Amino acid sequence: MNELMVITAHQSGSAMEACINCPGVSKLHQKDIRVLHKYFQFLNVWLDSVREYSMSDGAHYEIGVDRKLSEFIHQVRTTLGSSLANLKLNMYEYSAFKLFCIWNLKFHKTSTALKIVAQEHYEGVCSALRNYYETQTKMDDFEIAIRIGDITLQIVTVSDIYHDFIKLLLNSGISI
């Protein structure tokens, strides 16, 4: 658990830089920026790790991992990890998926301003992904809709994982 906190703290700077550089963030209150930063940080650690795992041969090593953390890692691998392995997202799709997840802040009490910025980002990324499919693939409109739907459905899994991660931290006595 301590190693996890060190990794998360290490990601803090890059998460804050990414957060601050998003269009519209400069118009948000500090409270909203803190919420967004936490979500960026979580996704930089967990989503990127799960993606790497889903692209690997499935081998993993867990030496001295806390039982509850080990159970959480197993849950992440069996839910999101297997979904990402099945989807086989390319780098454009993965980037869009990560952005969809970042701007989905349903577990947080946020301002109307952040909700508006989040919706604008979601629509922009969705439009860019659709444009990518139309110009770079031979997918028809139906296939594009299904693919974007399949990617978007994974947001619920990520949100649930985030919620479970927060509970894990709180149950371990770690303040968030």
Side-chain angles (χ1 to χ4, degrees):
M1 198 56 102
N2 289 336
E3 290 177 35
L4 174 61
M5 299 308 353
V6 169
I7 291 168
T8 302
H10 179 71
Q11 284 293 327
S12 182
S14 62
M16 182 54 83
E17 184 178 337
C19 178
I20 295 298
N21 288 320
C22 285
V25 170
S26 62
K27 298 175 184 173
L28 301 175
H29 295 282
Q30 283 298 331
K31 182 179 177 185
D32 287 333
I33 293 173
R34 280 192 300 273
V35 167
L36 196 56
H37 174 248
K38 283 182 186 180
Y39 217 56
F40 262 90
Q41 199 170 357
F42 168 78
L43 291 171
N44 281 350
V45 172
W46 287 100
L47 196 57
D48 290 349
S49 296
V50 171
R51 180 171 191 252
E52 288 299 318
Y53 173 77
S54 72
M55 294 179 357
S56 72
D57 62 3
H60 56 87
Y61 305 94
E62 293 172 15
I63 300 171
V65 175
D66 175 82
R67 183 184 60 79
K68 289 182 181 182
L69 180 58
S70 181
E71 289 171 0
F72 177 74
I73 291 169
H74 177 73
Q75 171 197 351
V76 172
R77 286 181 176 158
T78 57
T79 57
L80 185 59
S82 62
S83 293
L84 291 180
N86 289 333
L87 283 172
K88 294 179 176 57
L89 302 176
N90 64 34
M91 70 176 174
Y92 301 107
E93 293 172 313
Y94 176 72
S95 296
F97 170 61
K98 188 172 179 181
L99 287 168
F100 287 157
C101 291
I102 286 170
W103 293 106
N104 177 50
L105 303 163
K106 73 179 184 178
F107 285 113
H108 300 286
K109 294 179 183 175
T110 59
S111 70
T112 302
L114 181 53
K115 289 176 183 167
I116 291 169
V117 169
Q119 184 62 32
E120 289 173 351
H121 278 272
Y122 175 81
E123 290 171 7
V125 172
C126 197
S127 176
L129 185 58
R130 181 170 186 66
N131 184 47
Y132 162 76
Y133 288 136
E134 290 172 347
T135 61
Q136 302 298 316
T137 72
K138 296 180 181 187
M139 297 170 102
D140 62 30
D141 284 343
F142 183 72
E143 292 169 315
I144 291 170
I146 289 174
R147 185 66 173 173
I148 290 174
D150 287 343
I151 293 169
T152 302
L153 283 174
Q154 298 311 308
I155 296 170
V156 173
T157 304
V158 173
S159 294
D160 290 345
I161 289 169
Y162 179 74
H163 186 256
D164 291 346
F165 179 66
I166 295 302
K167 287 193 315 192
L168 174 70
L169 292 178
L170 293 173
N171 289 337
S172 298
I174 299 171
S175 62
I176 48 174

